Amino acid sequence: MEKNELYELEIDSIAEDGSGIGRLDGLVVFCRGMLPGERGVVRILKVTKSYAVGKAVSISTFSPHRVEPPSCPNFARSCGGCTFCHLAAEEQLTWKRRRVSDCLSRIGGLPDAAALVAPVLPSEPVFRYRNKSIYAFSSAAGGGITCGFYAPNSHRVVPIRETEGCLLENEMSREIRDFTVKYMNAHGISAYDESSGKGVLRALMVRTNHRGAREAMAVLVVHAKALPEMEAYAAALCAALPFVVSVYLCANTQNTNVVLRGDLRLICGKPSIRDVIGSFPGAPSFEISPHSFYQVNPVQTEILYQKAIEFAHLTGKESVIDAYCGIGTIGLIASGHAKEVV
């Protein structure tokens, strides 16, 4: 197998990043954009001793589960925010279940792993569910700045178009993103360029709640020790979008992929936002700060925790140890079903 050469490839599986998996001359080939059951011509971009990476040139046999056009228009422009927008939702669940059983079999050595893994419980809604979004800034083609998500395996930002939005972000996140881009463009603040080391804006992180009074947090990450316009931006943002109750500035001047690295300073509002998990009386509430670990899909989180408690068969007499508890979400949910939680 040679780099840059064309080969015919049939896909029989799919990887976590959405790449189709096929085999040529006994070597595994990953090809983004192709699905199991599809056949086509690929150009080999990379060859190692254990695998190769290819790019689809043409597809002659299409999967019946292919979604065309993809559910999100950003996916067609190589946005890396999602991985399976070209695969039907029901089939996604099938492959996720298979992925878990394969890991239990291959890594865990369980002989009947496929029979042990129950069908995946689907998430509702499928779109606009995330309570946390991190947008990267870049210079716009026509001048000014834009923001979006990185293309796969790169630091090239694929802009989110205002007219289309993003199917991951919820409405509060979208409004904060749109306001921030327009404000920064109106005030001539540039995007940080990794290659030149010039520019200011690196990223915008938005966190939102799911239950209770609407609350959102905005964290602006800059490649500078300070941003003179920050106080004015924070005041304007909170005035325009009253659900924004917390605004931070993160001064990150390091050469790193870690977004919230460096000095983190509260500019306006509260240090955290509050969310509630569960719709039952006495459901616990949680204070979420910029660094808090918190599940990003709030609806599916409640289903996950309910299922975990169901599997634990708690009778109210047990002592539950919540190891690696983070902000204590699982433990507090379990506290109403056990004698004590440690």
Side-chain angles (χ1 to χ4, degrees):
M1 188 184 306
E2 299 292 334
K3 183 179 177 181
N4 293 324
E5 291 297 316
L6 299 176
Y7 297 89
E8 187 167 332
L9 180 69
E10 182 173 356
I11 303 299
D12 57 29
S13 186
I14 195 166
E16 289 181 359
D17 67 352
S19 297
I21 302 175
R23 287 164 178 79
L24 287 173
D25 301 328
L27 194 67
V28 172
V29 180
F30 296 95
C31 185
R32 185 172 174 83
M34 292 187 70
L35 297 172
E38 295 188 333
R39 177 184 289 271
V41 175
V42 303
R43 185 181 301 278
I44 300 300
L45 304 178
K46 178 181 179 180
V47 180
T48 73
K49 292 182 179 180
S50 56
Y51 70 93
V53 178
K55 179 181 180 180
V57 176
S58 63
I59 301 177
S60 56
T61 302
F62 289 89
S63 166
H65 305 293
R66 172 175 284 276
V67 176
E68 193 62 45
S71 52
C72 181
N74 297 307
F75 184 85
R77 294 196 295 271
S78 299
C79 174
C82 298
T83 53
F84 296 109
C85 283
H86 57 324
L87 183 61
E90 297 80 6
E91 193 67 7
Q92 292 182 33
L93 301 182
T94 298
W95 282 100
K96 289 176 181 179
R97 181 185 185 187
R98 186 175 300 183
R99 175 67 177 172
V100 173
S101 64
D102 287 348
C103 288
L104 291 175
S105 175
R106 178 171 49 86
I107 302 173
L110 298 179
D112 299 318
L116 295 174
V117 180
V120 178
L121 296 175
S123 173
E124 292 291 345
V126 176
F127 300 124
R128 307 194 188 284
Y129 60 84
R130 284 188 69 101
N131 57 24
K132 177 182 177 182
S133 298
I134 301 178
Y135 309 99
F137 289 106
S138 69
S139 298
I145 66 161
T146 186
C147 73
F149 298 117
Y150 291 120
N153 304 314
S154 78
H155 275 197
R156 177 177 66 85
V157 176
V158 178
I160 299 173
R161 296 174 180 173
E162 183 179 353
T163 56
E164 296 170 341
C166 165
L167 291 184
L168 283 177
E169 63 184 1
N170 61 35
E171 186 63 18
M172 285 192 284
S173 294
R174 184 193 66 77
E175 291 187 51
I176 294 171
R177 173 180 57 79
D178 283 348
F179 179 92
T180 301
V181 170
K182 290 176 181 177
Y183 186 95
M184 298 303 164
N185 276 325
H187 290 78
I189 303 174
S190 61
Y192 174 64
D193 186 306
E194 289 183 336
S195 58
S196 67
K198 298 180 179 179
V200 178
L201 300 172
R202 297 186 72 148
L204 170 68
M205 185 182 82
V206 178
R207 306 197 78 154
T208 62
N209 68 348
H210 175 60
R211 294 190 183 276
R214 294 204 309 165
E215 293 189 351
M217 170 189 295
V219 182
L220 192 66
V221 184
V222 299
H223 188 265
K225 293 183 179 179
L227 183 66
E229 300 86 350
M230 189 62 199
E231 283 76 10
Y233 158 73
L237 176 64
C238 293
L241 305 174
F243 56 79
V244 178
V245 298
S246 177
V247 181
Y248 280 86
L249 175 69
C250 179
N252 184 349
T253 59
Q254 302 181 37
N255 183 19
T256 176
N257 292 329
V258 181
V259 177
L260 298 185
R261 176 70 62 83
D263 181 45
L264 187 64
R265 184 161 59 96
L266 179 65
I267 303 298
C268 178
K270 306 187 299 181
S272 61
I273 61 174
R274 175 170 293 187
D275 198 10
V276 177
I277 296 180
S279 58
F280 53 89
S285 62
F286 301 89
E287 296 293 330
I288 305 163
S289 70
H291 286 292
S292 295
F293 174 79
Y294 197 65
Q295 297 287 345
V296 298
N297 185 334
V299 175
Q300 196 71 345
T301 295
E302 294 182 1
I303 295 174
L304 173 67
Y305 290 0
Q306 290 166 7
K307 186 59 64 173
I309 291 172
E310 176 187 326
F311 284 169
H313 300 294
L314 299 177
T315 65
K317 300 178 181 179
E318 297 83 4
S319 295
V320 175
I321 298 176
D322 188 4
Y324 305 98
C325 67
I327 61 174
T329 53
I330 299 178
L332 286 173
I333 293 293
S335 64
H337 304 267
K339 178 182 177 181
E340 63 177 355
V341 174
V342 179

